[in-house]
Amino acid sequence: MTGTTSRVMLLAKTAAHGSQVEARLTNDHTVPQMYLRRFGWQRKPRSKQWFIAARRVEELGQPFEANVKNVAAVTDFYGEQLEKLLCQLEGDAVPAFDAVLEDPRGALPGPDRWPLKDDLRMKMAWWIAAQIVRNVRQRRRLLHLASEGTGQLAVPQSIKSLAGKDLQVRFMVDQLARMSWSIFSRPWGLGFSDLCLWTGDVPVVVVNGHDDENQLLATSFWDVVLPLDPHRFLFLPNWSDRRDDPQKRVDHLLKMDQGIGQIISAMVFEAADSHVFCHRDHDPSRHLDLVGPRLPRPWTGETGTGPSWVIEYPVMEPGWTIERRWLTEHPPPQETSESESP
């Protein structure tokens, strides 16, 4: 992929050491490698190389294997300083991911790990907010709004020098703290899907409001979905669900039985900019019924409102979990024997 804007850092040697000039570009990941590795595999035990099955959204029938470090990467997309900030947020969030996903007693964490403690919850909220504002689709949306004469961002004077004229950097700086607080303060649902999940280059989806001009309001009001690995996901229920169901006003666990998990993968597909990703042994594609439209891309001339979702689910009883073996084992399809046939 080619970045929309590019900033080149020039390192010039002094005249005493010659007049050579070296260009140094950053290789910026619009989706964190630490996150994509949870959908990837290693060819050799303890190898530092992780691989993932990738698909272009226009060519779902043609998956290809790619190194995690080479997907969702754009040359000099953020610039060196902002890339360092995002890497810091990623490193801070790792213990939160581990607390949620690595409980040896079950595929869903026990009461001592869920709900997350406030310090881990805060770090994961910052990470989620960063994924909403950092991706390629967000940049294209902002540039399109600017070209239409809208989307002007109110940035405090004290940080204008940091943000400069880059629309996405200005947007990120202005929105990140407020959006992370909105996510932190909402009830979280942690779910397990019987059907395998994929993720995409837009991993966090604001359901029914993903491209709303008021991103902060949309993130506060609508469902928010994030696949965490090939069978688990985070689901933040919308305002009306929280109003009508007391169990969804607090953190909770849920399970999407049988093929219902395709809803999560369909949402990711609809919002993806160019690619979706999955584990080679957890490929949901043959079970998906992707018949509806994707979210429109006004920057390409597409119009329309896109798909709309209403999601209902029961909350799991406290203390329940899922056996960890179902993170890797897949039961064979049920077949009806002749003796059971009507």
Side-chain angles (χ1 to χ4, degrees), residues 58-130:
E58 296 89 358
E59 301 172 338
L60 292 179
Q62 302 180 37
F64 59 93
E65 184 178 299
N67 193 308
V68 164
K69 69 180 182 180
N70 295 329
V71 299
V74 183
T75 301
D76 214 40
F77 190 72
Y78 305 118
E80 191 171 28
Q81 291 304 113
L82 192 53
E83 177 73 0
K84 288 181 179 179
L85 169 63
L86 294 172
C87 287
Q88 181 66 49
L89 294 178
E90 293 160 20
D92 289 346
V94 169
F97 274 86
D98 289 345
V100 169
L101 301 177
E102 302 300 335
D103 191 335
R105 297 164 295 181
L108 295 176
D112 58 330
R113 292 190 178 215
W114 184 264
L116 281 173
K117 302 296 188 293
D118 279 355
D119 58 334
L120 296 178
R121 185 189 188 89
M122 176 187 65
K123 292 172 181 177
M124 196 163 192
W126 273 91
W127 186 93
I128 293 169

Side-chain angles (χ1 to χ4, degrees), residues 142 145-155 167 170 174 213:
L142 290 168
L145 289 174
S147 70
E148 295 287 309
T150 59
Q152 298 301 311
L153 306 173
V155 181
L167 283 172
R170 293 172 61 188
D174 183 57
E213 288 188 27

Side-chain angles (χ1 to χ4, degrees), residues 46-274:
R46 295 183 294 278
S47 169
K48 294 183 179 180
Q49 300 295 315
W50 289 79
F51 296 85
I52 202 165
R55 286 178 168 85
R56 292 189 57 82
V57 292
E58 296 89 358
E59 301 172 338
L60 292 179
Q62 302 180 37
F64 59 93
E65 184 178 299
N67 193 308
V68 164
K69 69 180 182 180
N70 295 329
V71 299
V74 183
T75 301
D76 214 40
F77 190 72
Y78 305 118
E80 191 171 28
Q81 291 304 113
L82 192 53
E83 177 73 0
K84 288 181 179 179
L85 169 63
L86 294 172
C87 287
Q88 181 66 49
L89 294 178
E90 293 160 20
D92 289 346
V94 169
F97 274 86
D98 289 345
V100 169
L101 301 177
E102 302 300 335
D103 191 335
R105 297 164 295 181
L108 295 176
D112 58 330
R113 292 190 178 215
W114 184 264
L116 281 173
K117 302 296 188 293
D118 279 355
D119 58 334
L120 296 178
R121 185 189 188 89
M122 176 187 65
K123 292 172 181 177
M124 196 163 192
W126 273 91
W127 186 93
I128 293 169
Q131 309 325 304
I132 294 174
V133 302
R134 73 184 287 177
N135 58 72
V136 174
R137 182 184 181 92
Q138 190 71 267
R139 169 158 292 196
R140 288 177 174 156
R141 185 187 74 84
L142 290 168
L143 290 174
H144 174 73
L145 289 174
S147 70
E148 295 287 309
T150 59
Q152 298 301 311
L153 306 173
V155 181
Q157 183 65 38
S158 60
I159 61 174
K160 282 187 176 180
S161 58
L162 169 65
K165 297 181 179 180
D166 189 302
L167 283 172
Q168 189 175 25
V169 176
R170 293 172 61 188
F171 177 79
M172 290 175 67
V173 171
D174 183 57
Q175 295 284 304
L176 198 54
R178 291 184 293 168
M179 191 174 290
S180 61
W181 170 251
S182 172
I183 292 168
F184 175 88
S185 59
R186 288 184 58 171
W188 292 11
L190 177 63
F192 181 93
S193 169
D194 288 346
L195 185 67
C196 297
L197 306 172
W198 62 22
T199 189
D201 53 14
V202 180
V204 180
V205 182
V206 182
V207 182
N208 300 331
H210 192 80
D211 293 319
D212 196 292
E213 288 188 27
N214 190 331
Q215 295 266 286
L216 180 62
L217 180 61
T219 304
S220 302
F221 183 86
W222 293 110
D223 297 317
V224 177
V225 173
L226 167 67
L228 296 172
D229 70 7
H231 281 280
R232 290 171 290 185
F233 60 93
L234 201 63
F235 190 95
L236 280 59
N238 64 62
W239 178 82
S240 61
D241 281 354
R242 303 194 302 266
R243 177 196 62 194
D244 298 338
D245 188 344
Q247 290 184 299
K248 296 176 183 175
R249 296 174 195 164
V250 296
D251 289 359
H252 52 276
L253 301 175
L254 65 140
K255 182 175 183 290
M256 289 194 168
D257 297 328
Q258 301 179 22
I260 300 176
Q262 72 169 303
I263 293 172
I264 304 297
S265 291
M267 291 173 175
V268 169
F269 168 72
E270 291 164 0
D273 179 69
S274 59

